Amino acid sequence: MAKKFYILVENNTQGMAIHHLLDEKGIENHISPTPRLLTDEAPCGMSILLPHASLEMAQACLNENEAKYIKIASLDDPFEPKRDRYM
Amino acid sequence: MSDYQKMWQDLGMDMEQHDMLCQVLPSAVGDVFLSQENRPKSMDFWDLVISEVHGIRPAELIEEQKKGRKVFGTFCVYVPDEVVVAANGIVTGLCGGSQFWVPGGEAVLSKSTCPLIKASVGARLGKTCPFFRIADIYVGETTCDGKKKAYEILGEDVPLYVMDVPQMKRPQDIIKWKDEIATFAKKVEEFTGNKLTVENLNKAIHIINEKRKALARVYNCRKSKCLPISGRDALLMMQISFFDDPERCAKMCNRLADELEERIAKGISVVPEGTKRILVTGTPLAVPNWKLHNIIETSGAAVVCEEMCTGTRYFENLVDETKESLDEQFMALSERYMKTNCACFTPNRGRIDDILRMVEEYQVDGVIDCSLKFCCLYDTEKRAVSQALKAKGVPVLSLETDYTDTDAEQLRTRIGAFIEILNG
Ligand code: SF4
Ligand code: SF4
């Protein structure tokens, strides 16, 4: 699994605005809980997850539309479907 | 979720413990849901709800309480949401699905109580779940012994009303349940200050029927050979439907069903052709219990149906919307609810018939019958389930598990071997 990118936001209104904007432009993105490793940098429980392939297009789209967000952070291989660590 | 800190503090939650619980959520959601490829786009709604599970909906409930509405917390699909909705109340499911809450429940319950009950009690007493703090009243029911005793303990801490569920399904039991619904309606009227009328009850019946129809539409799509949604995603949708607003729930499920129907038409499946199709049956999978589905679906098979209360039992059968008096409406409610086939009833042949029917409808290759540890009722029914399926030549695997991660490896081995047999 490749590197993943997270658009960190102040609140979910900001997050949802970015989600809709990227959707509108056909840029793959997903709503994700903010990974624990990044919560010091963002107060919001949700962030926008980008696959590597969406990163450049997403950045350009955010700039073009002057979208408000905190920053884009990255994590190596955050998912392990067979980790079997449930809640 | 730190923008909800103040709300949690105001709810009297144990902030430190709650923070520990929240720590696990992102990686569990990532591993189970976000790691999947090619998910339906409409899952974004449920991704948002689960990302902010202790934030968005609790905040909405508190806003409604400020307007004078009451929140009823429930633990069983036998409690008729319609009665609460008719009186302008709000229903929120409260069953606990996390190991995090189990030790808190164990402190006051017998060790040999199922984890669902332990977690539900632990979530309340440990003050680590906003839904358990927000509910103005809990509605219990006399289903299994473990729950009956747990309600006595919960009732020391929070207003609690218990409905007396029959144990059998004879005509007189259906009348008895109708009377019990009528008595519950009086309690709801008293608690909310709002009278039930034929009109508001019919409207509520319609709202909940529409929710059931929308859930059924999503499940219908899972019957297709071209599988447009994973079992994990369908389970998440189902789990969240227990605490979402019913009208929004119907809207979102219909939106998802539209997309799934389109996917089927275009031949878009989430699994390769020939992937074995599993029906899961047994005890409910309360949120965030995702272990079984995740193990099955990361072992090369797909879950296509859940014959459980967090599944078909929640939405199958509609309430007759044509009745013209409260008495007739209560009877219509009783008739619908008494069709739910729970192992608390004897005999419970209806459940076996449902499983056999669903094996056909969902084009199932194998059944996994899984119960929670210490649930003697569903554990005992495994024998009848297995006999009936074997007689029809349907492979079945019977399992028992709890909320811990410690048996995951063993489950992977057993489920993996079962899928290998199915693959021939
Ligand atoms: S399994 Fe039985 S007791 Fe549990 S929610 Fe379902 S109907 Fe109620
Ligand atoms: S899983 Fe079994 S023991 Fe647990 S609450 Fe449900 S019926 Fe009772």
Side-chain angles (χ1 to χ4, degrees):
Chain A
M1 192 78 53
K3 214 174 195 158
K4 299 284 182 202
F5 296 85
Y6 292 86
I7 307 174
L8 305 181
V9 291
E10 295 285 353
N11 50 47
N12 56 48
T13 315
Q14 215 173 66
M16 287 311 285
I18 291 176
H19 174 61
H20 292 313
L21 175 67
L22 296 177
D23 271 2
E24 229 170 74
K25 308 283 173 190
I27 301 168
E28 186 185 337
N29 74 98
H30 304 275
I31 298 166
S32 162
T34 306
R36 203 63 194 177
L37 288 169
L38 304 174
T39 45
D40 285 347
E41 302 174 70
C44 185
M46 62 95 79
S47 49
I48 301 297
L49 169 68
L50 299 171
H52 205 158
S54 294
L55 179 65
E56 272 183 35
M57 281 182 296
Q59 268 170 329
C61 172
L62 295 174
N63 289 340
E64 207 173 291
N65 291 279
E66 294 176 10
K68 293 209 179 354
Y69 62 98
I70 298 173
K71 65 184 276 200
I72 299 181
S74 69
L75 287 179
D76 287 324
D77 292 342
F79 308 141
E80 285 181 47
K82 294 188 183 183
R83 178 179 359 218
D84 291 327
R85 284 280 169 279
Y86 303 97
M87 290 186 68
Chain B
M1 288 198 269
S2 46
D3 35 347
Y4 294 108
Q5 298 282 347
K6 165 113 181 37
M7 175 180 81
W8 297 329
Q9 262 159 7
D10 292 347
L11 287 171
M13 289 174 60
D14 181 333
M15 300 298 283
E16 224 170 274
Q17 285 295 313
H18 182 245
D19 191 54
M20 282 171 67
L21 172 63
C22 293
Q23 282 185 24
V24 209
L25 180 90
S27 69
V29 170
D31 290 349
V32 176
F33 300 101
L34 299 172
S35 64
Q36 296 176 56
E37 301 286 333
N38 198 17
R39 299 172 70 213
K41 191 80 200 68
S42 318
M43 284 307 297
D44 60 357
F45 169 72
W46 290 278
D47 288 343
L48 172 66
V49 177
I50 199 67
S51 296
E52 297 268 43
V53 66
H54 281 182
I56 296 177
R57 184 62 180 152
E60 283 182 355
L61 292 177
I62 291 168
E63 279 311 303
E64 293 306 313
Q65 282 175 320
K66 284 182 192 156
K67 295 178 202 157
R69 296 180 75 189
K70 298 287 182 203
V71 177
F72 291 68
T74 61
F75 300 87
C76 175
V77 301
Y78 259 84
V79 175
D81 292 357
E82 292 88 342
V83 172
V84 176
V85 172
N88 200 27
I90 304 173
V91 180
T92 189
L94 286 182
C95 289
S98 170
Q99 176 60 25
F100 187 84
W101 294 314
V102 168
E106 269 174 353
V108 291
L109 293 164
S110 147
K111 285 265 179 289
S112 53
T113 304
C114 93
L116 191 151
I117 299 172
K118 284 178 189 161
S120 303
V121 172
R124 169 72 201 184
L125 301 184
K127 304 184 168 89
T128 46
C129 175
F131 291 98
F132 279 82
R133 305 298 306 162
I134 289 169
D136 296 294
I137 184 169
Y138 290 7
V139 185
E141 60 336 290
T142 57
T143 45
C144 70
D145 288 353
K147 276 176 154 186
K148 280 187 278 199
K149 291 292 119 182
Y151 294 138
E152 291 172 11
I153 296 172
L154 284 171
E156 293 168 10
D157 199 48
V158 60
L160 193 135
Y161 179 88
V162 179
M163 295 186 77
D164 189 7
V165 178
Q167 310 276 290
M168 297 178 77
K169 291 186 175 174
R170 300 160 303 179
Q172 63 265 42
D173 297 309
I174 296 170
I175 293 169
K176 179 176 177 272
W177 187 236
K178 181 209 97 176
D179 291 341
E180 191 62 23
I181 293 173
T183 310
F184 175 55
K186 284 206 182 72
K187 176 71 190 178
V188 171
E189 285 181 329
E190 183 192 304
F191 199 75
T192 58
N194 299 321
K195 277 257 160 259
L196 252 72
T197 63
V198 174
E199 290 70 35
N200 64 26
L201 185 52
N202 249 344
K203 190 169 170 225
I205 289 172
H206 180 71
I207 289 171
I208 305 298
N209 273 346
E210 289 305 305
K211 167 174 159 173
R212 291 191 184 108
K213 285 186 210 164
L215 289 164
R217 264 189 79 198
V218 172
Y219 268 63
N220 269 334
C221 294
R222 302 173 76 194
K223 294 175 180 170
S224 166
K225 267 280 177 227
C226 167
L227 188 64
I229 183 169
S230 69
R232 282 165 284 181
D233 281 340
L235 176 66
L236 182 64
M237 170 205 75
M238 178 55 71
Q239 290 173 330
I240 289 173
S241 71
F242 279 78
F243 55 87
D244 196 8
D245 169 75
E247 288 177 286
R248 177 176 51 204
C249 173
K251 190 171 153 210
M252 290 301 156
C253 292
N254 278 322
R255 173 175 170 252
L256 174 62
D258 288 343
E259 183 182 356
L260 299 185
E261 285 163 8
E262 203 181 304
R263 281 183 153 215
I264 294 168
K266 289 184 181 158
I268 300 171
S269 171
V270 289
V271 289
E273 211 182 313
T275 300
K276 294 301 171 200
R277 301 165 63 90
I278 306 290
L279 177 142
V280 171
T281 180
T283 45
L285 296 168
V287 71
N289 183 2
W290 305 314
K291 179 167 68 175
L292 184 66
H293 277 53
N294 193 52
I295 291 179
I296 295 170
E297 295 199 324
T298 53
S299 301
V303 179
V304 296
C305 180
E306 296 79 19
E307 187 287 312
M308 39 181 59
C309 288
T310 44
T312 53
R313 284 183 230 146
Y314 191 46
F315 64 78
E316 282 203 334
N317 306 306
L318 299 174
V319 180
D320 189 337
E321 294 184 27
T322 63
K323 301 298 174 191
E324 290 173 351
S325 71
L326 284 173
D327 197 58
E328 286 175 341
Q329 289 170 312
F330 294 147
M331 190 61 186
L333 286 167
S334 176
E335 282 165 349
R336 185 267 159 197
Y337 279 87
M338 288 291 278
K339 286 184 191 143
T340 304
N341 294 312
C342 166
C344 296
F345 287 84
T346 187
N348 193 29
R349 174 71 212 182
R351 177 169 168 234
I352 310 285
D353 296 339
D354 285 344
I355 295 171
L356 293 175
R357 169 175 55 84
M358 288 172 202
V359 163
E360 295 293 321
E361 285 178 3
Y362 290 82
Q363 310 191 57
V364 166
D365 296 301
V367 172
I368 296 184
D369 184 2
C370 186
S371 65
L372 286 168
K373 249 180 213 154
F374 303 118
C375 177
C376 139
L377 295 163
Y378 279 90
D379 200 29
T380 307
E381 278 197 4
K382 280 179 188 149
R383 180 173 167 273
V385 170
S386 163
Q387 277 175 350
L389 287 166
K390 281 182 182 152
K392 295 268 181 200
V394 181
V396 54
L397 172 69
S398 302
L399 296 173
E400 192 178 63
T401 185
D402 56 17
Y403 289 171
T404 64
D405 299 338
T406 46
D407 67 349
E409 211 177 300
Q410 193 199 344
L411 287 174
R412 281 199 177 277
T413 307
R414 294 196 59 194
I415 290 168
F418 182 63
I419 295 168
E420 228 169 78
I421 293 169
L422 296 182
N423 283 329

